[in-house]
Amino acid sequence: MAAEAHAIDALGQFKLTTALGPIGASVNFTQSNLMMVISGLLILGLMVLGARPQAVVPGRLQALAEMAYEGIRKMCIEQIGEEGKAFFPFVFTLFMFVLIGNLLGLLPFSFTYTSHIAVTLTLALTVIVLVTIVALKIHGLHFFSYFFPPGAPVLLAPIIVPVEIISYLSRPVSLSIRLFANMVAGHVMFEVFASFILMMAASHALGSFGVVGAVGPMALNVALMGFELLVAFLQAYVFAILTCIYLHDAVHLH
Amino acid sequence: MRPIGLLTAAALSFLTSVALAAEGKEGMPQLDFKNVLLKSQIVWLVIIFVVLYILLSRWALPKVGAVLEKRAATIAGDLDAARQAKGAADAAVAELTAKTREAHAGAQAEIAGAVDAAKAAAAAQTATLTARLDAQLAEAEGRINAARAAAMGALRQVASDTAGVVVSRLTGVAANAAAVDAAVGSALSARGLG
């Protein structure tokens, strides 16, 4: 049993390797980056090919492209206000990049770049840096009043200001860890249940019981796939809507 | 029961294996910050993300936006055309109604005029007829009166002559013309004929 359990390598799937042969290896182009390029091409392909028919009554691809466009645009305008139109391309890029990354990662033999904390943290830091720049550009030094809510007693300033600053600085951490942890957890569970299938089916101690019992983890993995599809959408949505909320704060303060 | 127990056992052994791996040489590949590939991954991520952002914002998204705008314009145009057509139809219906009412009123007035004219003509005809009949009646009455007067005059002459002749034959004396005439006159007036 101990020897079989040792066969579970749930974390090996996250290991980075170089892609595209010796050329990719020479510039340290990883398989993670290859998936990023593929998802970028998919996003561009969806939007460009979707817009090509220019039909008044859209076909399937066009409807998908328009749904993505209008959904994110509506979210930007609802969350940020009229100023949200300016941030729409950024939020759209972010949402689609995360969503397609999550979905592509669910394919066998692919790689989930959103399961790397370095990737999600880079995206989250981009968001926070952008939010801070936008806030400084619109409000100037008045932006720092954000850390002290109006109407709060001045006596409490020594407590409120550090708390507000910490909550502001923890945004990229929570934003990145939420996505990273969700994707890692899902993929580790896939790997573990898949290992159970093999272990039970190959077990000498269980015999034919093991083959029948292997249906259990198999069914779990099938259910998990549906669940992970939901998580893929949900986490991309959460990432995008939190970006919008932070941008709203930057544009309007409080 | 057996597979569930097995699952629990396997889950436990998995946790220990993860713990062992974390303690051991490998750990989570995501946290292996000494790995060059982890850093290069981020450099490539930034390049890919920026290129994707530029391509989307400058090229792909405006295309979809143009399609949506075109559709909105088409729909607005169609609605406008429909509204205009409805306005024209409404105006035509209103005109038709007005014309019909006008024609109705005209016809009614013409009928009333014709009826009035006919009534007036009839009244005029009746009046002339009545006048003519009245005139004829009056003339006839005049003639009757004349004839009657003539007849009355002749009656007195005849009665006086007859009375004179009767008196002369009975008495053999020529009758007093004046007395006879007076007697005839009183007799006639006594009978209501004088």
Coordinates of all heavy atoms in Angstrom, one line a residue, chain B residues 22-65:
Chain B
A22 N 6.7 17.7 0.2 CA 6.9 19.1 0.6 C 8.2 19.2 1.4 O 9.0 20.1 1.2 CB 5.8 19.7 1.4
E23 N 8.4 18.2 2.3 CA 9.6 18.3 3.1 C 10.8 17.9 2.3 O 11.9 18.3 2.6 CB 9.5 17.3 4.3 CG 8.7 17.8 5.4 CD 8.4 16.8 6.5 OE1 9.1 15.8 6.5 OE2 7.4 16.9 7.2
G24 N 10.6 17.0 1.3 CA 11.7 16.5 0.5 C 12.3 17.5 -0.5 O 12.1 18.7 -0.3
K25 N 12.9 16.9 -1.5 CA 13.7 17.8 -2.4 C 12.9 18.6 -3.3 O 13.3 19.7 -3.8 CB 14.7 16.9 -3.1 CG 14.0 15.7 -3.9 CD 15.1 14.7 -4.4 CE 14.5 13.7 -5.3 NZ 13.4 12.9 -4.7
E26 N 11.6 18.1 -3.7 CA 10.9 18.7 -4.7 C 10.0 19.9 -4.3 O 10.2 21.0 -4.6 CB 10.0 17.7 -5.4 CG 10.8 16.6 -6.1 CD 10.8 16.7 -7.6 OE1 9.9 17.3 -8.1 OE2 11.8 16.2 -8.2
G27 N 8.9 19.6 -3.5 CA 8.0 20.6 -3.1 C 7.1 21.1 -4.2 O 7.1 20.4 -5.3
M28 N 6.4 22.2 -4.0 CA 5.6 22.7 -5.1 C 6.4 23.3 -6.2 O 7.2 24.2 -5.9 CB 4.6 23.7 -4.6 CG 3.4 23.1 -3.9 SD 2.2 24.3 -3.3 CE 1.1 24.3 -4.7
P29 N 6.3 22.9 -7.5 CA 7.1 23.5 -8.5 C 6.8 25.0 -8.6 O 7.7 25.8 -9.1 CB 6.6 22.8 -9.8 CG 6.0 21.5 -9.3 CD 5.4 21.8 -8.0
Q30 N 5.6 25.4 -8.2 CA 5.2 26.8 -8.3 C 6.0 27.7 -7.4 O 6.1 28.9 -7.6 CB 3.7 27.0 -8.0 CG 2.8 26.4 -9.1 CD 2.3 25.1 -8.6 OE1 3.1 24.3 -8.1 NE2 1.0 24.9 -8.8
L31 N 6.6 27.1 -6.3 CA 7.3 27.9 -5.3 C 8.8 27.7 -5.4 O 9.5 28.1 -4.5 CB 6.8 27.5 -3.9 CG 5.3 27.7 -3.7 CD1 4.9 27.2 -2.3 CD2 4.9 29.1 -3.8
D32 N 9.2 27.1 -6.5 CA 10.6 26.8 -6.7 C 11.2 28.1 -7.4 O 11.5 28.1 -8.6 CB 10.8 25.6 -7.6 CG 12.3 25.3 -7.8 OD1 13.1 25.9 -7.1 OD2 12.6 24.5 -8.7
F33 N 11.5 29.1 -6.6 CA 11.8 30.4 -7.1 C 13.3 30.4 -7.7 O 13.7 31.4 -8.3 CB 11.6 31.5 -6.1 CG 10.2 31.7 -5.8 CD1 9.7 31.4 -4.6 CD2 9.3 32.2 -6.8 CE1 8.3 31.6 -4.3 CE2 8.0 32.4 -6.5 CZ 7.5 32.0 -5.3
K34 N 14.0 29.4 -7.4 CA 15.4 29.3 -7.9 C 15.4 28.9 -9.4 O 16.3 29.1 -10.1 CB 16.2 28.4 -7.1 CG 16.8 29.0 -5.8 CD 17.4 28.0 -4.9 CE 16.4 27.2 -4.2 NZ 16.9 26.2 -3.3
N35 N 14.2 28.3 -9.8 CA 14.1 27.8 -11.2 C 14.2 29.0 -12.2 O 13.4 29.9 -12.1 CB 12.8 27.0 -11.3 CG 12.7 26.3 -12.6 OD1 13.6 26.5 -13.5 ND2 11.7 25.5 -12.7
V36 N 15.1 28.9 -13.1 CA 15.2 29.9 -14.2 C 13.9 30.0 -15.0 O 13.4 31.1 -15.4 CB 16.4 29.7 -15.1 CG1 16.5 30.8 -16.1 CG2 17.6 29.4 -14.3
L37 N 13.3 28.8 -15.2 CA 12.1 28.8 -16.0 C 10.9 29.5 -15.4 O 10.1 30.1 -16.1 CB 11.7 27.3 -16.3 CG 12.6 26.5 -17.2 CD1 12.1 25.1 -17.4 CD2 12.7 27.2 -18.6
L38 N 10.9 29.6 -14.1 CA 9.8 30.3 -13.4 C 9.9 31.8 -13.7 O 8.9 32.5 -13.9 CB 10.0 30.1 -11.9 CG 8.7 30.4 -11.0 CD1 7.7 29.3 -11.2 CD2 9.0 30.6 -9.6
K39 N 11.1 32.3 -13.7 CA 11.3 33.7 -14.0 C 11.1 34.0 -15.5 O 10.4 35.0 -15.9 CB 12.7 34.2 -13.6 CG 12.9 34.2 -12.1 CD 14.4 34.2 -11.8 CE 14.6 33.8 -10.3 NZ 16.0 33.3 -10.1
S40 N 11.6 33.1 -16.4 CA 11.5 33.4 -17.8 C 10.0 33.3 -18.2 O 9.5 34.0 -19.0 CB 12.3 32.3 -18.6 OG 11.7 31.1 -18.5
Q41 N 9.3 32.4 -17.5 CA 7.8 32.3 -17.7 C 7.1 33.6 -17.5 O 6.3 34.0 -18.3 CB 7.2 31.3 -16.7 CG 5.7 31.1 -16.8 CD 5.1 30.4 -15.7 OE1 4.2 29.6 -15.9 NE2 5.6 30.5 -14.5
I42 N 7.6 34.4 -16.5 CA 7.0 35.7 -16.2 C 7.3 36.7 -17.3 O 6.5 37.5 -17.7 CB 7.4 36.1 -14.8 CG1 6.9 35.2 -13.7 CG2 6.9 37.5 -14.5 CD1 5.4 34.8 -13.9
V43 N 8.6 36.7 -17.7 CA 9.0 37.6 -18.8 C 8.2 37.3 -20.0 O 7.6 38.3 -20.6 CB 10.5 37.4 -19.1 CG1 10.9 38.3 -20.3 CG2 11.3 37.7 -17.9
W44 N 8.0 36.1 -20.4 CA 7.2 35.7 -21.6 C 5.7 36.1 -21.3 O 5.0 36.5 -22.2 CB 7.3 34.2 -21.9 CG 8.6 33.9 -22.6 CD1 9.7 33.3 -22.2 CD2 9.0 34.4 -24.0 NE1 10.7 33.2 -23.1 CE2 10.3 33.9 -24.2 CE3 8.3 35.1 -25.0 CZ2 10.9 34.1 -25.4 CZ3 9.0 35.3 -26.2 CH2 10.3 34.8 -26.4
L45 N 5.3 35.9 -20.1 CA 3.9 36.2 -19.8 C 3.6 37.7 -20.0 O 2.6 38.1 -20.7 CB 3.6 35.9 -18.3 CG 2.3 36.6 -17.7 CD1 1.1 36.1 -18.3 CD2 2.3 36.4 -16.2
V46 N 4.6 38.5 -19.6 CA 4.4 40.0 -19.7 C 4.4 40.3 -21.2 O 3.5 41.1 -21.7 CB 5.5 40.7 -19.0 CG1 5.5 42.2 -19.4 CG2 5.4 40.6 -17.5
I47 N 5.3 39.7 -22.0 CA 5.3 40.0 -23.4 C 4.0 39.6 -24.1 O 3.4 40.3 -24.8 CB 6.5 39.3 -24.1 CG1 7.9 39.8 -23.5 CG2 6.5 39.4 -25.6 CD1 9.1 39.0 -23.9
I48 N 3.6 38.3 -23.8 CA 2.4 37.8 -24.4 C 1.2 38.6 -24.1 O 0.3 38.9 -24.9 CB 2.2 36.3 -24.0 CG1 3.3 35.4 -24.6 CG2 0.9 35.8 -24.5 CD1 3.5 34.1 -24.0
F49 N 1.1 39.0 -22.8 CA -0.1 39.7 -22.3 C -0.2 41.1 -22.9 O -1.2 41.5 -23.4 CB 0.0 39.8 -20.8 CG -1.3 40.3 -20.2 CD1 -2.4 39.4 -20.0 CD2 -1.5 41.6 -19.8 CE1 -3.6 39.9 -19.4 CE2 -2.7 42.1 -19.3 CZ -3.7 41.2 -19.1
V50 N 1.0 41.7 -23.0 CA 1.0 43.1 -23.6 C 0.6 43.0 -25.1 O -0.2 43.8 -25.6 CB 2.4 43.8 -23.4 CG1 2.5 45.0 -24.3 CG2 2.6 44.1 -22.0
V51 N 1.2 42.0 -25.8 CA 0.9 41.9 -27.2 C -0.6 41.6 -27.4 O -1.3 42.1 -28.2 CB 1.8 40.8 -27.9 CG1 1.3 40.4 -29.3 CG2 3.2 41.2 -27.9
L52 N -1.1 40.7 -26.5 CA -2.5 40.3 -26.6 C -3.4 41.5 -26.4 O -4.4 41.8 -27.1 CB -2.8 39.2 -25.6 CG -4.3 38.7 -25.6 CD1 -4.7 38.1 -26.9 CD2 -4.5 37.7 -24.4
Y53 N -3.0 42.3 -25.4 CA -3.8 43.5 -25.0 C -3.8 44.5 -26.2 O -4.9 45.0 -26.6 CB -3.2 44.2 -23.8 CG -3.8 45.6 -23.5 CD1 -5.1 45.6 -23.0 CD2 -3.2 46.7 -23.8 CE1 -5.7 46.9 -22.8 CE2 -3.8 48.0 -23.6 CZ -5.0 48.0 -23.1 OH -5.6 49.2 -22.9
I54 N -2.6 44.7 -26.8 CA -2.6 45.7 -27.9 C -3.4 45.2 -29.1 O -4.2 45.9 -29.7 CB -1.1 45.9 -28.3 CG1 -0.4 46.7 -27.2 CG2 -1.0 46.7 -29.6 CD1 1.1 46.8 -27.4
L55 N -3.2 43.9 -29.4 CA -4.0 43.3 -30.6 C -5.5 43.3 -30.3 O -6.3 43.7 -31.2 CB -3.5 41.9 -30.8 CG -2.2 41.7 -31.5 CD1 -1.8 40.2 -31.7 CD2 -2.1 42.4 -32.9
L56 N -5.9 43.0 -29.1 CA -7.3 43.0 -28.8 C -7.9 44.5 -28.8 O -8.9 44.7 -29.5 CB -7.6 42.4 -27.4 CG -7.7 40.9 -27.3 CD1 -7.8 40.5 -25.9 CD2 -8.9 40.4 -28.2
S57 N -7.2 45.4 -28.2 CA -7.8 46.7 -28.0 C -7.7 47.5 -29.4 O -8.5 48.3 -29.6 CB -7.0 47.5 -26.9 OG -5.7 47.6 -27.2
R58 N -6.7 47.2 -30.2 CA -6.5 48.0 -31.4 C -7.2 47.3 -32.6 O -7.6 48.0 -33.6 CB -5.0 48.2 -31.8 CG -4.2 48.9 -30.8 CD -4.4 50.4 -30.9 NE -4.1 51.1 -29.7 CZ -2.9 51.4 -29.3 NH1 -1.8 51.2 -30.0 NH2 -2.7 52.0 -28.1
W59 N -7.3 46.0 -32.6 CA -7.7 45.3 -33.8 C -9.0 44.5 -33.6 O -10.0 44.7 -34.3 CB -6.5 44.4 -34.2 CG -6.7 43.6 -35.4 CD1 -7.2 44.0 -36.6 CD2 -6.5 42.2 -35.5 NE1 -7.3 42.9 -37.5 CE2 -6.9 41.8 -36.9 CE3 -6.1 41.2 -34.7 CZ2 -6.8 40.5 -37.3 CZ3 -6.0 39.9 -35.1 CH2 -6.3 39.5 -36.4
A60 N -9.0 43.5 -32.6 CA -10.1 42.6 -32.6 C -11.3 43.2 -32.0 O -12.4 43.0 -32.5 CB -9.6 41.4 -31.8
L61 N -11.2 43.9 -30.8 CA -12.4 44.4 -30.1 C -13.1 45.4 -31.0 O -14.3 45.4 -31.0 CB -12.0 44.9 -28.8 CG -11.6 43.9 -27.7 CD1 -11.3 44.5 -26.4 CD2 -12.8 42.9 -27.6
P62 N -12.4 46.4 -31.6 CA -13.1 47.4 -32.5 C -14.0 46.7 -33.6 O -15.0 47.2 -33.9 CB -12.0 48.3 -33.0 CG -10.9 48.1 -32.1 CD -11.0 46.8 -31.5
K63 N -13.5 45.5 -34.1 CA -14.2 44.8 -35.1 C -15.6 44.4 -34.6 O -16.6 44.6 -35.2 CB -13.4 43.6 -35.6 CG -12.4 43.9 -36.7 CD -11.7 42.6 -37.0 CE -10.6 42.9 -38.0 NZ -11.0 42.5 -39.4
V64 N -15.5 43.8 -33.4 CA -16.8 43.3 -32.8 C -17.7 44.5 -32.4 O -18.9 44.5 -32.7 CB -16.5 42.4 -31.5 CG1 -17.8 42.0 -30.9 CG2 -15.7 41.2 -31.9
G65 N -17.0 45.5 -31.9 CA -17.8 46.8 -31.6 C -18.5 47.3 -32.8 O -19.6 47.8 -32.7

